[in-house]
Amino acid sequence: MCDYSLHTVASRDAEISDVLVSCRFPDTETRGFCTADDPLTAVCLRPGTELAFEADVRVKGFIFRRKIGAHLARFRQVDIHRPTEHHDALEFSNGRIVKVTDLATGQRARVLQLPAEPAIKRAATPEIVDLRAPLP
């Protein structure tokens, strides 16, 4: 997903092996993911997408950046009941949850795995087959 505040930014879905960069998009205060060769297009993640960062992840702080203490994360959404809040977040392997908009810019991460596609529901009624009948 792409956060509610990125509705004016061009976007595309993430793909396996994409190398993403944490970035701030022009004319917004929102941070998200883009690619190094296309910093104006937001790369949207689905809940359950797994990322591996190149280095210990840093979040913006009042004066200094703070380290998370982890490299692996799974994308999820938080505070969905608050429509004007940022929802995109990363849950790290050490249990910390950080909103994507709080990430320091310029950090690189590779998409390791996308969530499974939802099962396709069959619309047709299954045909009853008599297994004792001879084959045609």
Side-chain angles (χ1 to χ4, degrees), residues 11 95 106 113 116 123:
S11 64
Q113 184 171 334

Side-chain angles (χ1 to χ4, degrees), residues 47-122:
T49 300
E50 295 179 5
L51 303 174
F53 284 82
E54 289 182 343
D56 192 357
V57 177
R58 300 175 322 278
V59 294
K60 64 183 181 180
F62 184 65
I63 297 176
F64 300 104
R65 293 178 176 177
R66 295 172 292 142
K67 291 185 176 181
I68 294 297
H71 295 259
L72 299 175
R74 179 174 287 141
F75 181 80
R76 62 180 287 190
Q77 291 192 305
V78 295
D79 298 330
I80 327 177
H81 60 283
R82 297 180 178 159
T84 58
E85 294 284 323
H86 292 285
H87 302 120
D88 294 351
L90 295 172
E91 182 174 4
F92 288 90
S93 55
N94 62 5
R96 291 210 42 200
I97 297 174
V98 174
K99 289 186 177 181
V100 172
T101 199
D102 292 335
L103 293 175
T105 58
Q107 299 179 92
R108 295 169 57 94
R110 180 175 302 276
V111 176
L112 294 179
Q113 184 171 334
L114 297 174
E117 293 291 328
I120 297 172
K121 189 174 184 178
R122 294 181 187 225

